[in-house]
């Protein structure tokens, strides 16, 4: 079976996407939970340690509080409450923390620091998996044992207002609720007003036991403006006023109740220095946790400093406060200051219940639990507790009783701390079989791509895939039988749950047949290579030229990047790797330009590395004859590079200066956005531009960037597209002005009229119009007339539409990234790739390198926190899932997408050979498959690494997303190749 290398590569990448998806499903398994009936089945509480024949306390202790109000402020950092901003903008809360009846803590949230996993941690006390980053977009009902479900079972009446994630997690638990979407980040006023407007009515009523308020405005301000925005202070003042209202109402109601009320101020996660969240920086994981109640009265001079605790400790504390069982899967420990005002027997009872729950969880997850220090400490505590009970019932000496009780309490607290730490460190139960199957699929594809290089990069760019030979058929049948038998053995013998085994036999069998087919193709390719090697040894041919310096750089740079993924520091600071590679590439291109354009020692031009038999073409070029270059070298036939004599006027000096110009552009972009982990907190040019004091400078820079964009893009557009592009870029500036990011000379004041929705939709009209024009030209070139000029015009229209969309979605301080990116593309195409006669493979890899570098130039990193969620809501009045996800993904991967789009344009316009696009597609698929395949092996090996969840797992998600984009690019390459080769 004969296939073009582009079609072959596209099929390989699609198969690889399936393999990576299966691996991710095994690496990020959805926690196995029982059904609702068995999961929340009431169990009798652990009895008090027996002091003889039986225990005197076998029931749960009564509730400590009458009503509980939980105020969760999304993205509230600890320094917003306990730092200088808290003193300035939250004076009432600061007073309660420093002098009032309260207990304050700094609660550490584990990554991923996104809303849905953090809510689960707060109410269940367990540690959600990293896959919840993806599931955060559409939260399913929570079936795991939790405080909310226990409260409903106990007859507690609960009311909720705020983030509708709670409503999705608990669809039938609240007697009254009003949910607001958490993803429409452009709104930071109405989303909180919808919560506060219910307060006056609810606080006057007495028909509820638990009130939960989830405020989203602070998080939205962080996403759109960052933590240094002046809007932060106003929002904190608004939240302080809400706390005043709630606390005053609770204190007034306590006069009519026997038990005190409790007000809890907490956050799901913090906020990074860029305004995002999702990673593990200090600003993202440290959140305030404040318990306010009249039961916590302090004496004069009693200074309480916020202690560091775990966010998972809240579930156990709330359960004790409400008189509920502690959730079964909670790894948190009771916050003892909440109960230290109770009698000693009650204190020990609370601690014992928590210790019993943690010890049971340890027994279920650790086979050798008896050897664990925490379990041994618990047993010692239980024995001491039994002795204390005996003395207590005998009414022994009070001093001895207090001394022993203090010792038991200290022993329990040590045991709780050790048990909680041991359970928190327990690694996830990986689905090893699904991971192994996915890895095998990906590695088979990679080996097949590597073995296909000689044929795929040949002049015809075609491969002969042996799918119909008898030997292949026999080997395929035998391999399929072996793999199916192995699958049956694994799935019948494995007692643990496995996703791949849970699939239907038809689906699992299809995957096994796919693995067998890939294995047979690999074996056939190896056999053919071995036979070809023998033939070469019998009749050796003339050896070709050696590796050029540029080829060595590309090879070593690509392999060096793959190897660097084995270190967590290199993953955190991967942008440094790509900055180094593109800078080195510029220097290598500069050397190549000078080497090929300046005459050698004998007065003639130096030989191009591709020319093995002399420099006749270069000599002809020096004599003034224009070399014939119709793009054939992009299909695999190398020709001599042009000399300075072929460039008229001052253009030759531009050619010599072009590598230095590109190098200067890259250097200018580096200080624009600090990224990574080590230096992300340091101020950069982007922070300086986005501050309110430099709005004029940002306005000038944004306007200038938009002008440069128009000048670079319009040169190959039709007249209608030029007009649409000009109006669209003007609309981009007006959109940012409507949001208050930049200034308009003709507008006085900064009052927002439309919040940018009208202006953004105005731009979308022109984006769709330009994309429609490009699609029409492509269809016209394929259906009606096979005109390469029409096809090239259509491709450039599509590229222009993507540029306009990127200009709308990117933050205004990132518009120079887009403008300088297009400038580098123009300079490389006109003064590097054309004169130096680079082939399709080299051009493709250079596009890939620059695409990766520009991914980081725009401020991205391998942390989830740098994803600009606000880009997904540009022009949307409400949250619409599909457009929001698409726009967020496009804004995140603007660099790689635009460089891939330019690659298609360059090869389609400059090459008359149909093999160029095929070769480019194959190279693009290969260079993207190398890091993905290596990273799967790496993550499997390091799955017990200390930084597996904070560093390696986010990078794994980024690699999976990048491979998905690669698959789309390869499919588009293949479609363009079919159009290009149409007779």
């Amino acid at each position: 079976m004969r296939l073009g290398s582009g079609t072959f590569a596209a099929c390989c990448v699609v198969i690889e996407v399936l393999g990576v998806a299966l691996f991710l499903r095994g690496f990020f398994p959805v926690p196995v939970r029982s059904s609702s009936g068995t999961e929340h089945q009431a169990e009798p509480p652990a009895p008090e340690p027996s002091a003889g024949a039986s225990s005197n306390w076998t029931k749960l202790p009564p509730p400590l509080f009458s009503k509980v109000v939980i105020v969760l402020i999304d993205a509230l950092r600890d320094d917003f409450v306990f730092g200088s901003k808290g003193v300035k903008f939250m004076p009432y809360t600061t007073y309660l923390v420093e002098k009032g009846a309260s207990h304050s803590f700094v609660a550490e949230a584990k990554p991923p620091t996104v809303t849905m996993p953090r809510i689960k941690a707060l109410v269940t006390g367990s540690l959600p998996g990293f896959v919840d980053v993806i599931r955060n977009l559409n939260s399913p009902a929570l079936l795991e044992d939790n405080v909310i479900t226990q409260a409903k079972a106990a007859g507690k009446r609960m009311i909720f207002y705020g983030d509708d994630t709670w409503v999705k997690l608990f669809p039938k638990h609240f007697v009254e609720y009003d949910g607001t979407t958490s993803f429409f980040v452009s709104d930071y006023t109405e989303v909180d007003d919808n919560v506060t407007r219910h307060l006056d009515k609810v606080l006057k009523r007495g028909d509820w036991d638990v009130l939960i308020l989830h405020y989203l405005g602070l998080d939205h301000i962080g996403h759109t403006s960052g933590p240094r925005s002046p809007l932060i202070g106003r929002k904190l003042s608004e939240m302080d006023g809400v706390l005043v209202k709630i606390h005053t109402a609770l204190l007034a109601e306590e006069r009519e109740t026997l038990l005190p009320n409790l007000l809890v101020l907490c956050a799901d996660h913090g906020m990074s220095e860029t305004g995002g969240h999702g990673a593990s920086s200090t600003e993202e994981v440290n959140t305030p946790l404040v318990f306010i109640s009249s039961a916590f009265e302090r004496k004069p001079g009693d200074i309480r400093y916020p202690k560091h605790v775990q966010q998972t400790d809240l579930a156990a504390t709330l359960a004790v406060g409400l008189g509920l069982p502690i959730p079964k899967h909670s790894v948190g420990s009771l916050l003892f200051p909440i109960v230290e005002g109770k009698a000693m027997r009650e204190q020990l009872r609370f601690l014992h219940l928590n210790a019993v729950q943690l010890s049971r969880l340890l027994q279920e997850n650790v086979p050798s639990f008896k050897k664990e220090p925490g379990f041994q400490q618990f047993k010692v505590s239980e024995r001491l507790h039994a002795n204390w009970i005996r003395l207590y019932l005998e009414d022994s000496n009070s001093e001895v009783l207090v001394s022993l009780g203090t010792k038991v309490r200290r022993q329990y607290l040590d045991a709780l701390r050790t048990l909680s730490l041991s359970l928190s460190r327990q690694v996830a139960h990986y689905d090893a079989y699904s991971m192994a199957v996915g890895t095998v699929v990906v590695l088979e594809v990679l080996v097949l791509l590597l073995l296909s290089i000689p044929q795929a990069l040949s002049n015809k760019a075609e491969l002969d895939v042996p799918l119909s030979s008898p030997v292949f058929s026999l080997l395929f049948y035998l391999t399929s039988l072996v793999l199916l038998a192995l699958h049956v053995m694994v799935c019948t013998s494995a007692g643990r749950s496995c996703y791949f085994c849970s699939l239907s036999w038809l689906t699992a069998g299809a995957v096994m047949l796919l693995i067998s087919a890939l294995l047979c193709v690999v074996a056939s390719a190896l056999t053919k290579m071995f036979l070809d090697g023998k033939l070469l040894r019998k009749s050796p041919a003339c050896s070709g030229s050696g590796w050029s310096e540029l080829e060595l750089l590309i090879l070593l740079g690509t392999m060096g990047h793959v190897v660097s993924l084995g270190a967590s520091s290199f993953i955190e600071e991967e942008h440094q790797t790509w900055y180094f590679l593109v800078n080195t590439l510029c220097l290598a291109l500069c050397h190549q330009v000078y080497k090929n354009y300046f005459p050698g020692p004998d007065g003639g031009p130096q030989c191009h590395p591709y020319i093995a038999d002399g420099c006749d073409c270069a000599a002809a070029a020096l004599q003034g004859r224009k070399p014939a270059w119709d793009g054939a070298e992009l299909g695999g036939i190398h020709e001599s590079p042009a000399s300075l004599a072929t460039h008229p006027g001052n253009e030759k000096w531009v050619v010599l200066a072009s590598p230095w110009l590109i190098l200067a552009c890259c250097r200018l972009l580096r200080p624009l956005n600090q990224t990574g982990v080590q230096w992300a907190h340091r101020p950069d040019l982007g922070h300086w531009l986005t501050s309110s004091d430099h709005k004029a400078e940002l306005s000038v820079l944004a306007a200038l960037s938009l002008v440069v964009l128009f000048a670079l893009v319009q040169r190959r557009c039709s007249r209608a597209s030029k007009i649409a592009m000009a109006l669209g870029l003007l609309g981009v500036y007006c959109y940012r002005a409507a949001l208050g990011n930049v200034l308009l000379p003709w507008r006085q004041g900064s009052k927002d009229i439309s919040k940018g929705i009208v202006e953004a939709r105005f731009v979308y009209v022109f984006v769709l119009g330009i994309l429609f024009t490009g699609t029409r030209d492509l269809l016209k070139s394929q259906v009606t007339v096979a005109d390469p000029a029409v096809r090239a015009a259509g491709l450039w229209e599509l590229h222009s539409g993507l540029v306009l969309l990127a200009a709308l979605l990117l933050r205004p301080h990132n518009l120079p990234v887009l403008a300088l990116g297009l400038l580098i593309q123009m300079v490389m195409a006109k003064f590097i790739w054309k004169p130096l006669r680079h082939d399709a493979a080299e051009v493709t890899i250079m596009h890939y390198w620059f695409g990766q570098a520009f991914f980081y130039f725009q401020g991205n990193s391998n942390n989830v926190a740098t994803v600009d969620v606000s880009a997904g809501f540009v022009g949307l009045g409400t949250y619409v899932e599909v457009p929001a996800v698409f726009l967020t993904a496009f804004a995140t991967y603007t660099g790689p997408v635009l460089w891939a789009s330019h690659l298609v344009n360059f090869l389609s316009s400059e090459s008359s050979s149909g093999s160029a696009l095929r070769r480019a597609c194959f190279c693009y698929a290969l260079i993207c498959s190398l890091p993905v395949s290596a990273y799967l092996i790496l993550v499997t090996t390091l799955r017990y690494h200390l930084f597996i969840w904070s560093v390696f797992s986010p990078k794994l998600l980024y690699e999976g997303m990048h491979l998905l984009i690669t698959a789309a690019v390869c499919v588009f390459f293949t479609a363009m190749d079919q159009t290009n080769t149409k007779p």
Side-chain angles (χ1 to χ4, degrees):
M1 181 178 178
R2 208 154 178 83
L3 290 175
S5 58
T7 305
F8 173 77
C11 295
C12 286
V13 175
V14 170
I15 295 173
E16 200 170 7
V17 168
L18 298 178
V20 171
L22 184 58
F23 179 90
L24 292 176
R25 186 56 178 79
F27 187 76
F28 298 127
V30 177
V32 179
R33 302 186 180 94
S34 305
S35 62
S36 179
T38 59
E39 180 71 14
H40 305 299
Q41 185 176 0
E43 294 183 1
E48 197 175 39
S50 60
S54 62
S55 172
N56 294 317
W57 200 343
T58 58
K59 297 182 179 180
L60 283 173
L64 303 180
F65 306 101
S66 175
K67 293 182 182 295
V68 175
V69 179
I70 302 174
V71 180
L72 193 156
I73 303 177
D74 210 299
L76 183 68
R77 292 190 341 194
D78 63 322
D79 60 325
F80 286 176
V81 176
F82 305 135
S84 59
K85 287 189 176 180
V87 174
K88 182 177 181 180
F89 300 111
M90 304 186 74
Y92 187 78
T93 306
T94 302
Y95 169 78
L96 291 176
V97 168
E98 295 180 351
K99 301 178 181 180
S102 67
H103 289 290
S104 304
F105 306 91
V106 176
E108 179 183 347
K110 299 294 184 183
T113 48
V114 292
T115 298
M116 192 270 281
R118 295 300 95 221
I119 293 177
K120 290 171 63 176
L122 289 170
V123 299
T124 65
S126 61
L127 298 174
F130 205 92
V131 73
D132 285 317
V133 170
I134 301 174
R135 303 176 72 206
N136 185 59
L137 296 174
N138 188 18
S139 308
L142 180 61
L143 302 180
E144 189 176 351
D145 191 19
N146 61 84
V147 175
I148 303 299
T149 303
Q150 292 284 6
K152 183 176 184 295
K156 304 284 185 183
R157 294 175 60 85
M158 294 175 290
I159 298 177
F160 170 77
Y161 303 119
D163 185 353
D164 61 357
T165 302
W166 288 80
V167 181
K168 296 176 182 177
L169 290 172
F170 310 104
K172 298 180 181 179
H173 293 67
F174 302 112
V175 296
E176 182 180 323
Y177 62 87
D178 184 10
T180 57
T181 180
S182 60
F183 294 108
F184 188 53
V185 299
S186 299
D187 173 31
Y188 51 83
T189 54
E190 294 181 9
V191 73
D192 286 346
D193 292 342
N194 287 337
V195 178
T196 307
R197 65 189 174 96
H198 299 283
L199 276 182
D200 292 332
K201 177 183 65 175
V202 172
L203 292 175
K204 293 178 181 179
R205 290 159 41 188
D207 58 346
W208 55 272
D209 301 295
V210 179
L211 173 63
I212 303 175
L213 309 173
H214 189 147
Y215 285 94
L216 290 164
L218 186 67
D219 178 61
H220 292 183
I221 292 174
H223 281 297
T224 56
S225 305
R228 295 184 178 87
S229 170
L231 297 173
I232 293 289
R234 284 183 287 206
K235 181 57 65 175
L236 292 177
S237 298
E238 178 187 342
M239 295 296 99
D240 194 54
V242 169
L243 293 174
V244 171
K245 180 181 295 187
I246 296 174
H247 189 220
T248 303
L250 292 179
L251 290 177
E253 188 179 349
E254 283 185 4
R255 301 169 186 169
E256 304 174 1
T257 60
L258 298 176
L259 294 176
N261 297 323
L262 175 66
L263 172 60
V264 181
L265 171 64
C266 61
D268 51 351
H269 52 76
M271 182 188 301
S272 69
E273 286 301 314
T274 58
H277 54 87
S280 56
S281 66
T282 303
E283 294 80 11
E284 294 167 82
V285 300
N286 285 348
T287 65
L289 179 58
V290 183
F291 293 85
I292 305 170
S293 175
S294 58
F296 307 145
E297 290 290 349
R298 70 174 81 184
K299 299 177 182 179
D302 182 7
I303 301 176
R304 302 171 181 176
Y305 296 101
K307 299 179 181 179
H308 282 259
V309 297
Q310 296 298 314
Q311 197 180 57
T312 50
D313 297 339
L314 179 61
T317 306
L318 285 178
V320 168
L322 291 170
L324 305 171
I326 298 175
K328 300 176 183 177
H329 302 128
S330 172
V331 299
S333 57
L334 171 66
L335 298 176
F336 181 72
I338 307 302
V339 300
E340 65 179 348
K342 295 296 180 180
M344 180 63 72
R345 188 179 187 185
E346 291 182 79
Q347 294 180 24
L348 298 182
R349 175 63 171 158
F350 294 139
L351 296 175
H352 178 252
L353 287 173
N354 194 188
V356 168
Q357 177 264 324
L358 291 178
S359 64
R360 288 177 178 173
L361 192 62
L362 187 72
Q363 294 178 41
E364 295 173 359
N365 290 272
V366 181
S368 58
F369 64 93
K370 293 183 179 180
K371 299 180 181 179
E372 289 289 326
F375 186 80
Q376 296 174 0
Q377 290 177 340
F378 162 66
K379 287 301 181 183
V380 173
S381 305
E382 208 170 32
R383 288 195 297 268
L384 291 175
H385 192 183
N387 294 333
W388 187 90
I389 292 294
R390 187 179 68 254
L391 291 175
Y392 176 81
L393 296 178
E394 293 175 357
D395 195 17
S396 181
N397 185 285
S398 60
E399 293 184 3
V400 176
L401 196 65
V402 171
S403 177
L404 181 58
T406 304
K407 182 179 179 180
V408 176
R409 184 176 64 192
R410 184 170 57 251
Q411 188 72 25
Y412 264 130
L413 290 174
D414 292 340
L416 287 175
R417 190 179 303 110
T418 308
L419 284 169
S420 179
L421 186 62
S422 299
L423 288 168
S424 299
R425 287 178 175 175
Q426 291 299 315
V427 296
H429 294 292
Y430 298 103
D431 184 356
Y433 185 45
S434 299
M435 291 169 61
V437 174
T439 304
V440 168
V441 172
V442 173
L443 290 180
E444 284 182 332
V445 170
L446 176 64
V447 172
L448 190 56
L449 288 171
L450 291 174
L451 294 177
S452 304
I453 290 177
Q455 295 184 64
L457 299 184
S458 63
N459 293 339
K460 293 184 178 180
E462 292 182 345
L463 299 98
D464 191 6
V465 184
L467 294 178
S468 58
S469 64
V471 176
F472 177 88
S473 301
L474 178 60
L475 181 62
F476 172 73
Y477 293 143
L478 293 176
T479 307
S480 301
L481 290 176
V482 172
L483 292 179
L484 289 173
L486 180 63
H487 177 69
V488 173
M489 292 174 58
V490 171
C491 293
T492 53
S493 61
R496 288 160 37 181
S497 176
C498 172
Y499 171 73
F500 191 61
C501 293
S502 67
L503 296 176
S504 65
W505 284 101
L506 184 61
T507 305
V511 174
M512 290 302 173
L513 294 179
L514 176 62
I515 295 176
S516 302
L518 291 173
L519 185 62
C520 293
V521 174
V522 169
S524 300
L526 283 173
T527 304
K528 188 176 187 312
M529 180 175 291
F530 177 74
L531 294 176
D532 290 345
K534 278 187 174 181
L535 291 174
L536 286 175
R537 285 194 295 271
K538 290 180 181 179
S539 56
C542 296
S543 60
S545 59
W547 288 77
S548 69
E549 296 171 354
L550 184 63
E551 290 170 335
L552 286 174
L553 172 63
I554 289 175
L555 176 63
L556 295 178
T558 302
M559 298 309 299
H561 167 254
V562 172
V563 173
S564 72
L565 297 178
S568 59
S569 298
F570 277 95
I571 294 176
E572 291 177 337
E573 309 298 325
E574 188 181 356
H575 62 286
Q576 302 286 3
T577 302
W578 289 112
Y579 293 167
F580 172 78
L581 288 178
V582 295
N583 289 342
T584 308
L585 177 63
C586 291
L587 294 176
L589 291 173
C590 180
H591 173 70
Q592 193 178 48
V593 168
Y594 282 43
K595 180 180 178 181
N596 289 307
Y597 284 134
F598 284 114
D602 57 351
Q606 301 184 35
C607 291
H608 187 259
Y610 298 129
I611 307 302
D613 55 351
C615 302
D616 297 337
C617 296
L622 276 179
Q623 295 172 9
R625 299 193 302 245
K626 184 176 180 180
W629 184 65
D630 59 355
E633 69 281 355
L634 291 174
I637 304 173
H638 302 291
E639 290 189 7
S640 170
S643 69
L644 288 176
T646 62
H647 296 282
N650 295 326
E651 188 175 335
K652 58 184 178 182
W653 302 113
V654 178
V655 173
L656 295 175
S658 55
W660 297 105
L661 176 61
I662 298 168
L663 191 63
C665 291
C666 293
R667 188 62 188 90
L668 288 174
L669 291 174
R670 289 187 62 172
L672 188 61
N673 292 295
Q674 290 284 2
T675 184
V677 173
Q678 300 297 328
W679 297 278
H681 64 281
R682 299 181 63 181
D684 51 33
L685 187 58
H687 285 115
W688 185 83
L689 288 170
T690 53
S691 65
S692 57
D693 297 333
H694 304 101
K695 188 175 293 186
E697 291 85 346
L698 178 61
S699 302
V700 173
L701 184 62
L704 182 61
S705 299
L706 293 175
V707 171
V708 172
L709 286 177
F710 178 75
L712 294 173
V713 171
Q714 58 84 31
R715 52 197 172 94
R716 290 171 56 184
C717 290
S718 62
R719 180 177 299 178
S721 295
K722 289 181 181 180
I723 298 175
M725 179 62 65
L727 294 176
L729 292 176
L730 180 61
V732 169
Y733 191 88
C734 293
Y735 165 72
R736 289 299 171 184
L739 295 182
N741 301 134
V742 296
L743 301 174
L744 281 176
W746 57 84
R747 176 188 293 179
Q748 298 295 328
S750 59
K751 184 179 179 181
D752 298 341
I753 299 175
S754 63
K755 295 184 179 179
I757 295 178
V758 174
E759 291 83 353
R761 291 177 178 176
F762 176 79
V763 179
Y764 281 137
V765 171
F766 294 110
V767 171
L768 294 176
I770 296 174
L771 293 178
F772 173 78
T773 303
T775 305
R776 182 198 61 189
D777 290 342
L778 285 180
L779 294 176
K780 181 179 178 181
S781 66
Q782 185 174 9
V783 177
T784 58
V785 338
D787 188 357
V790 176
R791 183 187 69 249
L795 287 172
W796 187 258
E797 299 281 358
L798 292 179
H799 182 68
S800 304
L802 295 178
V803 169
L804 180 57
L805 179 60
L808 175 65
L809 299 181
L810 293 182
R811 300 285 181 94
H813 74 276
N814 271 333
L815 288 175
V817 178
L818 187 59
L820 291 181
L822 293 183
L823 179 63
I824 292 175
Q825 290 175 357
M826 186 270 292
V827 172
M828 292 285 283
K830 188 173 182 180
F831 302 111
I832 301 292
W833 294 322
K834 288 182 184 179
L836 293 182
R837 306 293 195 258
H838 291 290
D839 69 344
E842 292 176 340
V843 171
T844 300
I845 296 174
M846 282 189 265
H847 272 86
Y848 175 81
W849 279 23
F850 275 100
Q852 293 297 308
F854 272 84
F855 174 82
Y856 296 102
F857 279 142
Q858 68 185 70
N860 292 318
S861 71
N862 288 323
N863 284 335
V864 183
T866 53
V867 176
D868 184 10
V869 183
S870 64
F873 306 93
V874 174
L876 300 182
T878 58
Y879 172 66
V880 186
E881 185 172 352
V882 174
V885 171
F886 169 77
L887 293 176
T888 302
F890 178 80
T892 304
Y893 289 91
T894 293
V897 170
L898 289 184
W899 277 89
S901 173
H902 183 268
L903 175 62
V904 178
N905 276 276
F906 178 76
L907 295 179
S908 299
S909 61
E910 301 298 338
S911 175
S912 62
S913 171
S915 64
L917 283 171
R918 285 182 239 141
R919 288 158 53 84
C921 179
F922 181 86
C923 291
Y924 202 89
L926 178 60
I927 198 172
C928 292
S929 300
L930 281 171
V932 172
S933 305
Y935 203 69
L936 293 191
I937 300 175
L938 174 70
V939 170
T940 304
T941 307
L942 299 178
R943 62 186 182 275
Y944 301 117
H945 194 278
L946 179 63
F947 302 130
I948 187 64
W949 300 116
S950 59
V951 178
F952 294 100
S953 296
K955 175 61 177 175
L956 184 61
L957 292 179
Y958 274 106
E959 288 292 340
M961 185 64 186
H962 192 216
L963 185 66
L964 186 63
I965 293 176
T966 302
V969 170
C970 288
V971 171
F972 187 74
F973 267 92
T974 305
M976 290 304 98
D977 176 46
Q978 298 297 327
T979 304
N980 194 33
T981 56
K982 183 180 181 299

